[in-house]
Each structure stands twice: as structure tokens, then as C-alpha cells.
Amino acid sequence: MTTETGSGQMVRALTWKGAFWVAAGVPPLVLFSIGGIAGTTGKLAFLVWIISMIMGFLQSFTYAEMAGMFGNKSGGTSVYGATAWLRYGKLIAPLSVWCNWFAWSPVLSLGCVLAAGYILNALFPVPLAESQMVLDWVAANIASYTAETQAVVDYMAANAGVAVPDAIQAVATADGVSALTPALRTWEAGTLVIPGLGTLYFNAYFVVGVALMLIILLIQERGIANTAVAQKWLAIIVLVPLLLVGLVPLFNGSINWMNVTNLVPPTAAYSGVDGEWNIGGWTLFLGGLYIAAWSTYGFETAVCYTRELKDPKTDTFRAIFYSGLLCMLFFFLIPFSFQGVYGVEGMLATGIVDGSGVGEALGNMLGGGAVVTQIFVILMIMALFLAIMTAMAGSSRTLYQGSRDGWLPKYLGQVNSHGAPRNAMWTDFAFNVFLLALASDIAGYFYVLAISNVGYILFNFLNLNAGWIHRIDSAHMERPWKAPTWLIGINTILAFVNALFLGAGAKVWGYENALWSGLVFAAFIFPVFWFRHYVVDGGKFPKEAYDDLGLPYGELGERKAGFLPYLALILGAVVVLWANWFFVLPG
């Protein structure tokens, strides 16, 4: 550990404020799934965000205590909590770290595909059906359409009762939009179908997304201090207008209170029709809480940089606490105001669900006209950059510390001359190039999100239980900040609530096997860890891993918690399996 660059080690160059700014990319995560959650839970959407954020804030106190125990570690709370499981099964600890990484890492690909969409819309827009250029095209070509034109015949067959002139107008308009759409928007170098997973699309979204990821990677190569400075200015530019979007509708009378009352689930996902609190309704509600956790819990990334903090004993708690308060403000305000203004019907618009129209919708909430709307489109791109920067900084340090602790391949434990984990960042990049190809259409986007969140809920379950395990097994370790014991107990209960979300919610997002796909991907860590631990390291962890726990080299210490950790795992699995069986989608 050093305070100088060029040493080949991570550098203590960060205060809690710097860690706070790096974590400031979490509030924009609300924009990733605000439409999807509205479609799934209907009028309950804003309530889902509030409940999920309260849970995330409570859980963070367990994570803050563990972060303070390990001032020499990087990689975040999954690393600190994983050490609690070492005594009870060598495979469990790396599972927690792996699940946290593959939950956070896809923010890069998901954020880049959204940002690519905004950039392409700005530079190569698809013309609107009512635009003058389309109207002119239709006027010039409509004479070539008759009742016998095959496209018109097909349209009338699919739309019974439509008159011939109306069918001709509709077909001509669609052809006009298609003819005037820039070629780049439909360009595709090819596709690759992977059985059991999905289709990889190598299109314009993919190319622009890769370019954006490279830019972010180059910024982070300069080290955490430079990343924090870049994040600070991005956050100020993005979050202040976003805060106005949440506040202004509350004071200018644009909230329609009918949109946020009579809170019942919809009859089916994306139906927009009020349903009732039956099994199907509860399933949709839990599905919303399942996917919201991916965003609202995310500020735990504020303690990913403990090894780079100047004073980790005091800065870890401050970083996660104030990051949590920031997130509470945004995750309460934005979904409420958004839903209050647009209602469920407005939030089910295609551009809101797929993310491409969120920037325009935010601008319209301030009623500032076309100029303000375009500014918000630009701000949306910057907000996505903010979130992607946060994700790469945190997830790469999780890989780095996993390597240093002997769980992941050794090459990930190297840093560059600025103390940045270069190999881990390039690994993140390569993994997300693959995910970017998978997420380059809306179906693949939510598939990646649903699967990655399986890992995130698993990590949270293991980590919340790690809090009380550390209390029993590592009572000798200093805790610069100690959570109230009653709160550790509540958070242990919340671990099983999260397990309920996982079992019931993963199936809600259009992929019946999302839970099992996520569990299969989680299991990939087992051969990776086996090779590193038993082949490379000869069955022992690196010395620094034992030193961090205050244990002699090669000894993991007494299992003071006895059978209780195993009981927690068994009960967690029972909750997941029961919830997956019991909760079913409407209809």
C-alpha cells in the first residue's frame, strides 16, 4: 500500500468524498428499468422503488461495518463478506464475489447500448410517420398503391374492417418511414445464435457501444483519483437537472394524483389495466422488487475503494452512508414524479420501456419546449456515462481483490503505474463486448438484466448473513463503526426476503428459465476457483488473505457459529425453490 503512483500497488489517493462521487453513478440506474418496472407492476411502480430503496439503505449498515474491518482490501462489500464464509466452505466465499461481479459488470453493456441508442437517434434519426418528409414521400408515391398491392392485401387481412383508402395510406406511410430511415439504423454485419442463451447482434448499436466502453476504459486507466474528479463534474451536471425533474412537478401542479392512488397490480405485465391482489398480482409485485434491487442496492459500491482511501477507518462509513442518502432522494423522487405526470399508460410507451425515449420524457416534465428536451437527451447520455464509470470502477476492483485473495485468476491482481487494476478492467471490457452483442435488441437487454440480477440477489443473501457470522467468528477484529445489533438482525431477515424476490421475481421478465440460467452462470466460479486454489496455489490462500483475518498462515480458525451458516443456506434455498413454485404469472 502506498500514497505514490508508479509503485505497482493501489494508491491511497481518495477521501470519502471521492468515493461518494464515484458512487454518484448509481442514481441514474433508475433510468435503466423505470419503464420495465412500470409495465410489470402498474400503479405500484413508485412504491416498488421506495420499498426497495429503504431495504437497500437498511442493508448498507451491515455492509458499512464489514467494510471498516478490512482497511487493506479493495473490491467492495462482497469481498469483505465473503471472508466470513471461508471457514464453512471454500467454494462459498468466491461464489459471493463472483455473483457480485457478474451483477455489476453488465451495467457497462446495458448502459452503452442505451447510450448508443441516444447517439444514433440524435445523429441518424428514424423519421416520424407524421413528419413532413414522410408526408412528402407518401404524396409522391401513393398513386402506385392499389387494392391489389400485396402489402395492402396483407394489411387488410391483418386488420379486419379497415377501408381500402385507409389501408393504402397506412402501408404507404410505413414504406415512407422505411425508405427514409438512414441505412446505418438497419445495418447489421451479422448475427450469431447461441443455443440456450440468445442471439448476438453485430449492428450499429454494438459498434457505437464498444467505442463508448473504450473511452471509459481509457479514462479509468489514469487511476481512481482522476476517475473521481471526472465523476464529480459529471454528477453535478447530470444530477442537478435530474433533481429538478423530480421536484418541479410537485410544485407546478402537473402531478395527477389518480396516477399514484388505488394501488393494485395490473391484470398482466404491460397490460396497463388494474388487477387485484391475487397470486398473479403478488408475483408481478415481487418481480418488480426483484429487478429494482439491481439499481437501489447499488450504492454499496461506495466501499469498493477501501484500499484506496486515505483514512479507511472513518471514510468507509461516511462514503456508503452519504451515498445511500443521495440514492434515497433520487429513487423516491424520480419514479414518483415520473409516474405522477405520465401515469401507467404513458410509462408503457415504447420509448420509455426500451429506454430510448426517457430523456425526451424527462425534458417534457419541465415543460421547457424542444430546446430543454434536447438538453435532457444530452444529459441522459451523460447520466449513462456516469453509471458506466461507476460500474467499471467497482466491478474491476472486485476482480482485482478476488485475485489477491486467491479466488480468481492471478493475472487479475496486477495494477498499472497509476494503481488502476488494468487487467481486471480489460477483462470487464472483453466480457461486456460479448454482453453488448446480446443486449443490442430490447429482448436481449432485459434478458441480460434478469440473469445478472440472479447473481446480485445471491450476493446480497450471502453478504447479509456474513454480518452476523463475522460477529461470532471475528469478534476479535476492530470495527471502526459498528452497526446496532438489532439492525444486524433485521438485515438477516431481509436476506431471506431477498431470497423470496429471487424465487418469485426472476420469471417475471419474460424468461421462464432466467433463474436457472443465472444459477448456471454463478456455478462457473467453481472450476475457476478450483484451478486457482488447488492447482496454482496448492490448496492455500495467499498470506495476505490470512493476515486480513488476523489468522496464522494456512489456518482458517474455529467455526464458532457451528451449523448455523449451513442452516441459513438450507433455509435460503428452500425459500427460493418454494417461491419459484408457489408464485405464478397471471393467466
Side-chain angles (χ1 to χ4, degrees):
M1 193 55 53
T2 181
T3 58
E4 301 293 333
T5 59
S7 63
Q9 302 179 52
M10 282 192 161
V11 181
R12 289 207 182 278
L14 209 59
T15 65
W16 74 265
K17 294 177 182 178
F20 169 86
W21 288 120
V22 176
V26 174
L29 291 179
V30 68
L31 306 175
F32 278 52
S33 50
I34 192 168
I37 288 179
T40 302
T41 62
K43 286 185 175 180
L44 298 170
F46 81 94
L47 185 63
V48 165
W49 287 107
I50 291 173
I51 292 173
S52 186
M53 187 63 239
I54 291 173
M55 286 182 61
F57 190 67
L58 291 174
Q59 291 165 181
S60 72
F61 288 95
T62 294
Y63 300 161
E65 176 177 312
M66 292 192 294
M69 296 167 61
F70 299 99
N72 290 324
K73 285 187 182 293
S74 182
T77 186
S78 65
V79 172
Y80 318 140
T83 58
W85 289 97
L86 279 177
R87 296 177 175 89
Y88 301 93
K90 288 184 176 181
L91 288 176
I92 303 174
L95 177 64
S96 176
V97 174
W98 178 261
C99 285
N100 178 262
W101 170 72
F102 89 73
W104 259 108
S105 186
V107 176
L108 277 67
S109 53
L110 298 179
C112 282
V113 79
L114 284 179
Y118 276 102
I119 291 171
L120 290 170
N121 283 339
L123 300 179
F124 307 96
V126 175
L128 298 175
E130 61 272 19
S131 65
Q132 190 59 50
M133 60 191 302
V134 173
L135 295 176
D136 292 342
W137 189 96
V138 171
N141 293 274
I142 198 167
S144 62
Y145 294 86
T146 68
E148 288 74 37
T149 302
Q150 188 59 50
V152 175
V153 173
D154 293 341
Y155 184 88
M156 295 182 69
N159 297 272
V162 67
V164 172
D166 293 335
I168 290 175
Q169 183 69 33
V171 170
T173 299
D175 286 350
V177 170
S178 178
L180 296 171
T181 296
L184 187 63
R185 297 303 299 272
T186 56
W187 173 82
E188 189 172 83
T191 59
L192 178 64
V193 177
I194 300 180
L197 182 61
T199 303
L200 306 185
Y201 294 87
F202 301 97
N203 52 24
Y205 289 86
F206 174 79
V207 173
V208 175
V210 169
L212 294 177
M213 269 198 288
L214 278 172
I215 292 171
I216 291 166
L217 179 62
L218 293 175
I219 293 172
Q220 301 214 357
E221 285 264 356
R222 301 293 298 173
I224 192 63
N226 284 286
T227 299
V229 171
Q231 286 283 94
K232 175 182 178 179
W233 292 111
L234 266 177
I236 291 172
I237 293 170
V238 168
L239 296 184
V240 171
L242 196 59
L243 180 60
L244 289 176
V245 168
L247 289 173
V248 169
L250 297 176
F251 297 99
N252 68 3
S254 58
I255 297 289
N256 181 350
W257 295 99
M258 294 295 293
N259 293 334
V260 290
T261 53
N262 187 28
L263 302 182
V264 292
T267 55
Y270 300 98
S271 70
V273 179
D274 287 351
E276 56 183 310
W277 285 104
N278 51 25
I279 295 298
W282 276 104
T283 302
L284 293 174
F285 180 60
L286 294 174
L289 286 165
Y290 165 75
I291 213 72
W294 184 81
S295 301
T296 55
Y297 299 178
F299 68 94
E300 45 86 10
T301 191
V303 292
C304 273
Y305 319 100
T306 305
R307 193 179 176 99
E308 296 159 279
L309 290 172
K310 293 179 179 178
D311 187 3
K313 288 187 177 181
T314 59
D315 286 347
T316 48
F317 174 75
R318 291 177 181 175
I320 196 170
F321 178 74
Y322 289 110
S323 295
L325 291 180
L326 178 73
C327 287
M328 287 186 77
L329 177 64
F330 282 91
F331 284 109
F332 282 16
L333 270 180
I334 300 301
F336 180 82
S337 293
F338 205 90
Q339 182 173 328
V341 171
Y342 288 107
V344 173
E345 183 178 348
M347 295 176 73
L348 291 179
T350 301
I352 305 300
V353 173
D354 66 20
S356 64
V358 172
E360 182 179 356
L362 293 174
N364 290 337
M365 286 172 68
L366 292 182
V371 174
V372 172
T373 298
Q374 287 305 310
I375 290 173
F376 266 89
V377 170
I378 296 171
L379 288 174
M380 183 69 180
I381 297 173
M382 297 177 73
L384 294 170
F385 259 76
L386 190 65
I388 297 163
M389 291 268 285
T390 295
M392 179 174 280
S395 61
S396 62
R397 280 156 178 82
T398 299
L399 291 179
Y400 165 84
Q401 193 63 49
S403 172
R404 301 288 298 186
D405 285 342
W407 301 329
L408 299 174
K410 262 192 172 181
Y411 83 95
L412 295 170
Q414 303 300 315
V415 299
N416 64 12
S417 60
H418 299 284
R422 169 177 286 173
N423 291 349
M425 289 193 298
W426 278 99
T427 299
D428 249 352
F429 172 80
F431 175 64
N432 275 279
V433 166
F434 172 81
L435 290 185
L436 189 62
L438 184 63
S440 287
D441 77 324
I442 189 61
Y445 176 90
F446 279 111
Y447 189 40
V448 170
L449 187 57
I451 290 178
S452 69
N453 203 45
V454 172
Y456 199 53
I457 298 297
L458 284 174
F459 140 72
N460 276 283
F461 175 82
L462 292 171
N463 227 46
L464 290 170
N465 280 290
W468 62 265
I469 296 175
H470 268 312
R471 284 283 182 97
I472 297 173
D473 285 340
S474 301
H476 63 285
M477 294 182 66
E478 180 186 3
R479 288 165 169 78
W481 185 85
K482 191 173 183 179
T485 300
W486 63 266
L487 190 50
I488 294 290
I490 287 177
N491 288 339
T492 302
I493 295 172
L494 292 182
F496 294 92
V497 175
N498 279 300
L500 179 71
F501 295 165
L502 176 58
K507 68 174 70 173
V508 169
W509 295 87
Y511 308 97
E512 184 178 347
N513 296 318
L515 172 62
W516 311 112
S517 297
L519 293 176
V520 168
F521 195 90
F524 286 172
I525 186 57
F526 297 143
V528 173
F529 171 74
W530 179 87
F531 181 82
R532 169 66 197 271
H533 186 65
Y534 293 103
V535 177
V536 177
D537 291 342
K540 289 188 177 181
F541 295 100
K543 185 176 183 301
E544 65 184 78
Y546 297 100
D547 291 343
D548 287 338
L549 286 168
L551 298 171
Y553 179 66
E555 297 182 18
L556 292 176
E558 181 185 354
R559 298 178 181 177
K560 297 177 183 178
F563 185 71
L564 290 178
Y566 301 112
L567 180 61
L569 292 175
I570 293 169
L571 290 178
V574 168
V575 170
V576 171
L577 295 174
W578 174 81
N580 191 255
W581 165 78
F582 181 79
F583 289 98
V584 293
L585 291 168

